[in-house]
Amino acid sequence: MGDNLKERTAKGLFWGMLNNGTTQVLNILIGIFLGRLLSPEDYGMVGVLTIFTVIAGNLQSSGFTQALVNMKAPTGRDYNSVFWFNTLSSVTIYAILFLLAPLIAKFFHEPRLVSVSRFVFLSFLISSFGIAHNAYMLKNMMNREIAIVGFVALVVSGLTGIGMALRGWAYWSLAAQQVIYIAALNLGRYYYVPWRPQLKTDFGPVRQMFSFSVKILVTNIINTLSQHLLTFVFGRLFPIHAVGNYSQANNWNSKANLFVSGTIGQVAQPVMVAAGNDRERQQRVFRKLLRFTALLSFPVMLGLTLVGREFIVLAIGEKWIESVGLLQVLCVGGAFLPLYTLYQNLAISSGRSDIYMWCNLAQIALQIALVLAFSSRGMSVMVGVYTAFTILWLAVWQWFARRLIGLRYRDVALDVVPFFLIAAATMGLTWLLTRWISNDVLLLIARVALAAAIYLAMLKMSRAAILDECLNFLIKKKTI
């Protein structure tokens, strides 16, 4: 059983990394094209609506994806109940948001948001048809199929967005990209998942899951508020083009961050559920995932901080230069966000959705208070305070992890801190060795290549076991 779980975890991480790697490469290419074609105002127009679409998505899924994944053996009846609940609730929510569109536009002082928001909100309505199918794929660890579906959906939606931007559709191209991506994703899920919804509606399973799911729902909304808090506040306080600069910075930070978080998120909950109630085994699984996360996250995110200016200027142009400083600060906090994914999945897989809810509730309450307290200091200071608090709050999650599986702070420090120090030293040394280069193209190439070489060399010198395990698995995959 142990070897089987280890093999499933390794395969899940492999396909998750492949999925998120190809996804982020495509996202980068699409983002470069759109960033060059569109303006900060265009990004600001769609960016301020993100918080509404994600919260609406949380409401219509209601945490049932996690509930289904957490079940030992969900049946077709369970999936069918969730499908119809999501579909019916999404129709209701969309009708409410459709009517609220004028108020949303008034709040952000932008009349054009009425029509744009009504179109963008279609994305969560369409997504409701695929939530149960997504849960099926996650539960059965269909990571290869998830990778294929995500790749195809991204290509179709990205090409559509670029085509519309070339024809002068401005912010409408970003809106259409969102809607088409969800539609293509659902079509792919229906292609791979053998289960089909039945016309008979039975909400009995939904009622049984509700006590668990409602805590997930509240927490997902809280997480959404936390992740998009600054965009929402900035949309109210600053001009739409300034919001666009922040949205662009956060967009690139999220792309890099999701490469790691998405890889971990696809396997963390099902693997931890499979580990059972054996605390020693849970701790071993969690610590290995922790080391793998640190191995990837710190060089990726701190590396983007190092090359942020060159990347922005070369990729999307000088018009986005104001987003560079914001991107660099966000990436420092983004390096720690994948660790949140692990801690949150630990709480969920342990059946403690109450911990998941209250820990996030306290976090967003304090974040809102801090951001508003520093609102008079300007956008950069608010982003810095938000980032610092995000890093410090991990200590609270670790306190709960110690209660759940006996994981000590010392163990976490041994698993995480060496990778952070090696990554930070790598970026500092790379900066010193390349600061004399004046050509941005050469500087970007030199920093990426040199940082990768130094980081791998330092890991080899420190005899990082997790690196050897990853390399051995990749070699094994090639020989099969």
Side-chain angles (χ1 to χ4, degrees), residues 17-51:
M17 186 163 59
L18 183 63
N19 176 23
N20 285 280
T22 54
T23 295
Q24 298 318 317
V25 168
L26 277 173
N27 265 323
I28 288 171
L29 294 175
I30 293 167
I32 288 172
F33 276 104
L34 291 176
R36 287 185 169 275
L37 293 169
L38 303 177
S39 68
E41 184 180 49
D42 294 327
Y43 274 85
M45 284 284 292
V46 177
V48 294
L49 296 174
T50 304
I51 193 168

Side-chain angles (χ1 to χ4, degrees), residues 6 45 61-62 89 135 137 143 166 179 214 311 369 381 386 391 405 420 454:
K6 183 177 180 180
M45 284 284 292
S61 66
S62 303
S89 62
M137 297 179 81
N143 300 89
L166 286 169
V179 174
V214 71
F311 176 77
V381 173
Y386 175 88
I391 297 171
I405 59 173
F420 175 78
I454 293 174

Side-chain angles (χ1 to χ4, degrees), residues 1-9 274 281 284-285:
M1 177 66 181
D3 291 338
N4 184 46
L5 179 59
K6 183 177 180 180
E7 183 67 18
R8 288 175 63 201
T9 303
R281 190 182 185 200
R284 285 200 309 270
V285 170

